[in-house]
């Protein structure tokens, strides 16, 4: 299976070639990690400003208010509020989660866990990061221009995103930025897919790959297929704004001809629904592995988990219409989309049951990566179940565009991906930097974050059910929402609480990475048998001196016949019969 | 000039996997455009709509012929040994295709069909712009092959020729579909 010969080149020596234009998948992974953390802070700050505005309408933001919004005396102005929720969504999805889960863990884990020395196309890998960098710069620049950044929502529906809804360059720069990001993602996807197909170590069959790799690989496939669809939509919208075409213009927005704003919704959601799975599949994969690693048990139903992840990947391509029930679709179509969407719950229930089966009667070690993984099980369970409500057409007609939707998608693709990302950072930190993060701080970080985010998103679902719409600058001008003011304040307090808890993480991370005389982590501090734990920490240049030969699966734990004194087997060891 | 050995075959395999994925990605982008076309077409009260009654016929036909010829010379370039002549023919035809597209846009504008005149003119312009943009990208790759053929023949491998070729033929097919949709049917 090692189809392609892999040569070892000399390690780069200058700072420039080592850290800036690096071809090394491990360095690119770390570049994506810092990139994601920077944007995560920006996007997080935006969410704080949003929650401040909802809790204290018309009150200046303390400390930074006067610096950011001098014209309004420190109060977030309405148009800026629209910009804040637009860019909060954009940044968290494309510039935080994607670089963290796919850019960082994809790059770091794929070669190490399949037993390769690097990605198959290192130059493409480097280009992928620098395209992401260019994209980030364009987005950042759009914040600094006179009329400000995009404000048409992260979905940027026309007519909100046309020249009538959004004069100024901000929206156009948003489109260009996301297009560049799409190029970066597609390059990454080509690389990941090809690497997994061609560079698996001898013996590493598809059903011997860790589930992390399954998740990342399926994500890459979805990326390669659906990001270009978004690319087409972005380009056409750019043409509408810049060259006067009329694809999405109708009514007063069109000076002549008749375009169709709904067409953009189709294109956007053909991409947008798979995008949800693009974000969550890596987290699912990581959690599926970690649950087994820390329950010291083989993953229950490994093959079925891999197959149900694949089934979800396939189904995710044909359900996008559930985002458009309120666009006067024919009932025949809404019912088909409803049925297909509901079908996803079958494979989801299978792997979810497998997760529970994995930890059932395990000797669970509550280390920080395990806590975060269990957190994912909890929040994804809630998010997934509320998805069934929204999938049903009749309920969605009432809940569409309410905070119930906001709560639901934050549970599924924000909370679970965030917790999965933290699990990954805590888990692979010893391999990435050769140092363990402080466990006490990590556990505090988990519990405080868990309390905070559940307060936020549970609260959002309740106010949504109460009829509060999303994206309103001040919902309380409507009298029927007055009774929701206390719970809205509770959501905001939970958000401030959850944000404050992240200081623990940032402190812990920086101390671990940069402190002098920090104790070194051993080769295999967690006692796990996948390939990356057999080599030194941090992983050496070109990973494996000799390409490993794989003889058993990734989750061989608790075999009573093991004579090595360990309760796990390395993947390079002959499987001991039970 | 071109060597074929086991190492070359391995190299070929990884590149053909990657090229297949890449072409699927590009294909999805163009399919999204075509999806828009079909939605517009099936919702239109009459076809062809008034805005495009006098679309030029000759120029797009010539473009199609040129594109077809260039694909043919590219196939020969992959197979025959007269690399320099065949490369020059392919590159020349590629440039000629771009020139024809410029003439097409000029003649559209001259007959009063602008991108802002509605759906169908929007599509004619946007599709041809995007396709031409990809042709520019592909010509850059062909130029790189030319550099290898003329100045560094040892660097020229079957894999490079075949993969650039796949991209070139792919754009030919896309053009043919666009030609049928926008100018013929
Ligand atoms: Cu969806």
């Amino acid at each position: 299976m090692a189809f392609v010969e892999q040569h070892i080149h000399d390690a780069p020596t200058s700072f420039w070639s080592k850290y800036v234009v690096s071809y090394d998948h491990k360095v690119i992974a770390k570049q994506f990690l810092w990139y994601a953390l920077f944007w995560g802070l920006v996007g997080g700050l935006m969410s704080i400003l949003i929650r401040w505005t909802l809790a204290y309408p018309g009150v200046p933001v303390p400390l930074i208010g006067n610096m950011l919004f001098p014209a309004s005396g420190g109060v977030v102005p309405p148009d800026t509020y629209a910009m804040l929720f637009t860019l909060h969504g954009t940044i968290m999805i494309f510039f935080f989660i994607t670089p963290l889960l796919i850019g960082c863990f994809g790059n770091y884990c794929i070669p190490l866990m399949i037993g390769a020395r690097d990605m198959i196309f290192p130059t493409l890998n480097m280009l992928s990061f620098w395209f992401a960098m260019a994209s980030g710069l364009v987005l950042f620049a759009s914040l600094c221009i006179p009329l400000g950044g995009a404000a048409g929502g992260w979905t940027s529906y026309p007519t909100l995103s046309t020249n009538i809804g959004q004069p100024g360059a901000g929206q156009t720069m948003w489109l260009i930025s996301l297009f560049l990001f799409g190029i970066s993602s597609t390059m990454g996807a080509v690389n990941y897919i090809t690497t997994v197909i061609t560079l698996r170590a001898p013996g590493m069959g598809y059903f011997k790959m860790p589930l992390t790799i399954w998740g990342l690989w399926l994500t890459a496939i979805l990326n390669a297929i659906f990001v270009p669809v978004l690319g087409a939509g972005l380009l056409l919208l750019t043409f509408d704004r810049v060259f006067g075409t009329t694809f999405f213009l109708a009514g007063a927005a069109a000076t002549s001809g008749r375009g169709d704003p709904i067409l953009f919704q189709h294109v956007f959601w053909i991409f947008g629904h798979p995008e949800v799975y693009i974000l969550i599949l890596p987290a699912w994969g990581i959690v599926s592995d970690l649950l087994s690693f820390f329950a010291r048990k083989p993953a229950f139903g490994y093959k079925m988990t891999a197959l149900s992840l694949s089934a979800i990947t396939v189904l995710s391509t044909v359900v996008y219409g559930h985002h458009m029930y309120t666009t006067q679709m024919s009932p025949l179509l809404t019912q088909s989309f409803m049925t297909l969407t509901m079908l996803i719950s079958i494979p989801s229930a299978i792997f979810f049951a497998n997760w529970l089966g994995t930890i059932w009667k395990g000797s669970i070690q509550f280390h920080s990566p395990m806590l975060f993984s269990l957190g994912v099980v909890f929040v994804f369970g809630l998010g997934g179940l509320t998805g069934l409500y929204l999938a049903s057409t009749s309920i969605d007609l009432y809940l569409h565009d309410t905070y119930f939707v906001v709560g639901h998608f934050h549970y599924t693709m924000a909370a679970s991906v965030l917790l999965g990302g933290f699990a990954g950072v805590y888990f692979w930190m010893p391999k990435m930097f050769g140092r363990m993060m402080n466990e006490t701080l990590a556990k505090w970080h988990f519990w405080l974050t868990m309390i905070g985010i559940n307060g936020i998103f549970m609260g959002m679902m309740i106010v949504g059910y109460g009829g509060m719409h999303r994206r309103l600058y001040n919902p309380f001008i409507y009298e029927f929402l007055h009774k929701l003011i206390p719970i809205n304040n509770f959501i905001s307090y939970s958000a401030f609480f959850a944000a404050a808890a992240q200081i623990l993480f940032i402190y812990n991370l920086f101390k671990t990475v940069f402190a002098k005389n920090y104790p070194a982590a051993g080769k295999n501090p967690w006692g796990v048998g996948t390939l990356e734990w057999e080599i030194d920490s941090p992983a050496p240049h070109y990973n494996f001196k000799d390409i490993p030969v794989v003889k058993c699966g990734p989750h061989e734990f608790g075999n009573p016949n093991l004579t090595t004194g360990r309760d796990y087997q390395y993947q390079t060891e002959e499987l001991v019969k039970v | 000039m071109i060597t074929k050995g086991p190492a070359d075959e391995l190299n070929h395999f990884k590149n053909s996997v990657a090229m297949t994925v890449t072409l699927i990605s590009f294909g999805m982008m163009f399919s999204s455009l075509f999806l828009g076309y079909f939605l517009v077409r099936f919702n239109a009260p009459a076809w062809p709509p008034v805005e495009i009654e006098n679309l030029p016929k000759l120029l797009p036909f010539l473009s199609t012929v040129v594109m077809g010829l260039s694909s043919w010379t590219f196939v020969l370039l992959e197979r025959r040994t007269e690399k320099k002549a065949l490369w020059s023919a392919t590159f020349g035809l590629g440039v000629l295709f771009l020139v024809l597209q410029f003439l097409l846009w000029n003649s559209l504008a001259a007959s009063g069909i602008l991108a802002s005149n509605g759906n169908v003119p929007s599509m004619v312009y946007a599709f041809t712009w995007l396709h031409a943009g990809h042709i520019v990208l592909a010509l850059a790759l062909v130029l790189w092959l030319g550099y290898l053929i003329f100045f560094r023949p040892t660097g020229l491998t079957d894999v490079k020729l075949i993969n650039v070729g796949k991209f070139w033929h792919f754009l030919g097919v896309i053009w043919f579909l666009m030609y049928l949709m926008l100018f013929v049917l």
Side-chain angles (χ1 to χ4, degrees):
Chain A
M1 258 160 275
F3 287 110
V4 181
E5 276 182 271
Q6 304 170 55
H7 308 283
I8 295 189
H9 301 276
D10 290 335
T13 44
S14 75
F15 180 84
W16 179 257
S17 57
K18 202 167 169 188
Y19 296 111
V20 185
V21 287
S22 176
Y23 297 91
D24 182 347
H25 75 102
K26 298 185 290 295
V27 177
I28 296 172
K30 289 173 193 171
Q31 288 174 323
F32 269 118
L33 177 68
W34 299 118
Y35 179 95
L37 286 176
F38 168 77
W39 282 107
L41 285 179
V42 177
L45 178 70
M46 287 174 163
S47 68
I48 294 301
L49 293 172
I50 294 169
R51 286 318 313 181
W52 177 269
T53 312
L54 287 171
Y56 308 102
V59 179
V61 182
L63 302 175
I64 49 172
N66 273 316
M67 196 178 77
L68 292 174
F69 321 108
S72 56
V75 181
V76 177
D79 51 345
T80 307
Y81 182 79
M83 193 186 101
L84 283 174
F85 67 66
T86 299
L87 290 171
H88 165 74
T90 307
I91 287 171
M92 287 310 207
I93 290 171
F94 296 103
F95 295 86
F96 174 54
I97 294 177
T98 308
L100 180 66
L101 268 289
I102 305 172
C104 172
F105 292 130
N107 256 312
Y108 198 78
C109 296
I110 291 179
L112 280 171
M113 291 181 109
I114 63 172
R117 289 194 171 131
D118 203 327
M119 287 285 176
I120 188 123
F121 301 114
T123 316
L124 193 68
N125 208 11
M126 177 191 73
L127 280 175
S128 166
F129 175 74
W130 285 103
F131 265 93
M133 202 66 185
S135 152
L137 286 176
V138 174
L139 193 80
F140 200 84
S142 82
L143 300 177
C144 312
I145 57 171
L147 283 173
W154 85 276
T155 50
S156 75
Y157 284 175
T159 46
L160 286 175
S161 56
T162 58
N163 281 329
I164 305 258
Q166 268 282 292
Q171 182 71 42
T172 312
M173 289 169 84
W174 183 92
L175 292 164
I176 292 168
S177 162
L178 282 207
F179 190 78
L180 290 173
F181 200 86
I183 296 177
S184 156
S185 286
T186 315
M187 286 174 164
V190 171
N191 215 346
Y192 292 7
I193 296 172
T194 316
T195 302
V196 170
I197 292 178
T198 56
L199 282 192
R200 279 169 297 123
M204 178 68 86
Y206 285 100
F207 285 115
K208 286 213 172 84
M209 296 195 305
L211 288 162
T212 305
I213 303 303
W214 268 96
L216 288 163
W217 191 54
L218 293 170
T219 278
I221 293 174
L222 283 178
N223 254 332
I225 299 177
F226 290 104
V227 168
V229 178
L230 175 71
L234 296 174
L235 282 176
L236 296 187
L237 191 52
T238 312
F239 289 168
D240 272 12
R241 292 181 61 86
V242 180
F243 300 118
T245 53
T246 59
F247 290 103
F248 308 124
L249 304 180
T255 45
S256 62
R258 42 192 191 284
D260 185 3
I262 302 292
L263 178 60
F264 185 84
Q265 296 196 20
H266 282 288
V267 174
F268 185 87
W269 287 113
I270 289 175
F271 151 80
H273 188 83
E275 171 69 6
V276 177
Y277 292 91
I278 287 169
L279 300 175
I280 189 81
L281 275 164
W284 283 346
I286 290 173
V287 168
S288 307
D289 275 340
L290 294 190
L291 288 176
S292 155
F293 293 164
F294 290 99
R296 313 308 292 176
K297 267 185 66 191
F300 184 84
Y302 164 88
K303 247 187 198 174
M304 277 317 282
T305 305
L307 290 176
S308 40
L309 294 182
S310 313
I312 292 172
T313 306
V314 174
L315 279 174
S316 78
T317 62
V318 289
V319 300
Y320 77 91
H322 60 219
H323 296 270
M324 298 170 61
Y325 287 155
T326 55
T327 56
Q328 302 190 351
M329 243 182 202
S330 102
L332 187 68
L333 271 181
T334 56
Q335 279 166 26
S336 321
F337 278 125
M338 176 169 110
T339 314
L340 287 166
T341 306
M342 298 272 188
L343 274 184
I344 290 191
S345 58
I346 298 172
S348 307
I350 292 175
F351 80 75
F352 201 86
N354 283 348
W355 283 357
L356 301 180
T358 302
I359 52 177
W360 180 254
K361 290 191 173 170
S363 1
I364 299 179
Q365 301 171 333
F366 289 99
H367 296 309
S368 52
M370 183 59 165
L371 286 177
F372 279 97
S373 302
L374 292 170
V376 175
V377 175
F378 179 75
V379 295
F380 182 74
L382 276 177
L385 287 174
T386 50
L388 287 174
Y389 286 67
L390 293 169
S392 147
T393 318
S394 47
I395 305 177
D396 183 69
L397 290 181
Y398 172 71
L399 291 176
H400 185 86
D401 254 356
T402 64
Y403 264 84
F404 189 83
V405 178
V406 180
H408 156 74
F409 73 68
H410 275 94
Y411 257 122
T412 46
M413 63 185 235
S416 31
V417 179
L418 187 72
L419 295 179
F422 283 136
V425 172
Y426 285 116
F427 181 70
W428 278 293
M429 186 54 61
K431 197 50 68 182
M432 290 179 103
F433 292 96
R435 295 163 166 201
M436 295 282 275
M437 287 174 80
N438 181 308
E439 271 290 287
T440 316
L441 282 177
K443 285 176 185 169
W444 274 101
H445 173 223
F446 169 74
W447 286 109
L448 299 180
T449 306
M450 196 66 182
I451 293 167
I453 59 176
N454 277 292
I456 306 169
F457 304 133
M458 197 86 79
M460 282 181 173
M461 294 212 271
I462 295 169
V463 295
Y465 226 78
M468 185 168 132
H469 266 231
R470 65 197 285 202
R471 294 176 175 171
L472 296 177
Y473 175 59
N474 181 0
F476 310 114
I477 52 172
Y478 300 105
E479 210 169 316
F480 77 103
L481 292 178
H482 278 182
K483 61 182 189 302
L484 298 180
I485 289 179
I487 191 156
N488 258 295
N489 289 346
F490 170 75
I491 299 172
S492 291
Y493 303 147
S494 304
F496 306 148
F497 184 81
Q502 304 318 307
I503 296 171
L504 290 179
F505 172 72
I506 293 167
Y507 170 77
N508 199 352
L509 179 77
F510 274 78
K511 192 161 174 227
T512 310
V513 176
F514 295 111
K516 292 210 164 70
N517 306 324
Y518 199 92
K523 264 188 184 182
N524 190 359
W526 307 113
V528 170
T530 47
L531 296 175
E532 79 272 31
W533 300 106
E534 266 187 281
I535 54 174
D536 288 339
S537 302
H541 183 61
Y542 277 94
N543 306 345
F544 301 97
K545 215 148 101 230
D546 305 299
I547 296 291
V549 178
V550 175
K551 300 195 177 109
C552 68
H555 311 112
E556 298 302 340
F557 288 97
N559 182 342
N561 294 342
L562 277 176
T563 50
T564 45
R566 293 184 251 116
D567 69 338
Y568 62 96
Q569 274 193 265
Y570 282 113
Q571 279 197 272
T572 49
E573 293 171 338
E574 205 66 61
L575 184 64
V576 176
K577 291 273 174 294
V578 182
Chain B
M1 195 188 311
I2 288 163
T3 51
K4 248 202 160 129
D8 210 47
E9 250 156 59
L10 300 174
N11 195 18
H12 185 94
F13 177 71
K14 81 172 187 194
N15 280 294
S16 83
V17 171
M19 201 60 206
T20 308
V21 179
T22 310
L23 291 187
I24 289 175
S25 291
F26 280 111
M28 283 305 286
M29 200 206 77
F30 284 109
S31 320
S32 314
L33 301 182
F34 296 161
L35 171 79
Y37 168 87
F38 285 114
L39 284 177
V40 169
R41 175 141 188 185
F42 290 124
N43 289 325
W47 198 270
V50 254
E51 305 103 300
I52 56 152
E53 266 178 347
N54 47 0
L55 272 186
K57 294 270 182 270
L58 183 64
L59 279 169
F61 175 72
L62 286 179
S63 299
T64 312
V65 172
V66 168
M67 200 72 221
L69 279 177
S70 75
S71 258
W72 182 56
T73 54
F74 209 121
V75 172
L76 294 182
L77 173 66
E78 287 168 30
R79 295 189 186 159
R80 302 250 174 109
T81 45
E82 306 92 12
K83 300 283 180 213
K84 287 182 183 172
L86 287 165
W87 179 85
S88 310
T90 309
F91 187 73
L93 287 166
V95 174
L96 180 60
F97 177 83
L98 279 184
V99 172
L100 285 169
Q101 296 301 85
F102 271 102
L103 293 177
L104 171 70
W105 296 325
N106 280 339
S107 86
L108 282 172
S111 54
I113 301 174
L114 301 174
S116 52
N117 284 11
N119 264 332
V120 179
S122 284
M123 282 194 300
V124 172
Y125 276 102
F127 288 17
T128 49
W129 283 339
L130 283 177
H131 183 265
H134 284 84
I135 290 285
V136 171
L137 187 70
L139 277 179
L141 292 172
V142 173
L143 213 53
W144 168 65
L145 286 183
Y147 165 74
L148 293 178
I149 288 170
F150 283 91
F151 302 107
R152 276 195 46 210
T154 43
L156 184 75
T157 57
D158 265 353
V159 172
K160 288 171 188 162
L161 274 174
I162 290 171
N163 280 302
V164 177
K166 277 181 186 167
F167 191 49
W168 191 257
H169 300 314
F170 167 80
L171 289 178
V173 172
I174 295 286
W175 171 254
F176 188 64
L177 293 174
M178 283 184 175
Y179 171 66
L180 288 182
M181 281 190 259
L182 297 171
F183 301 101
V184 178
L185 300 175

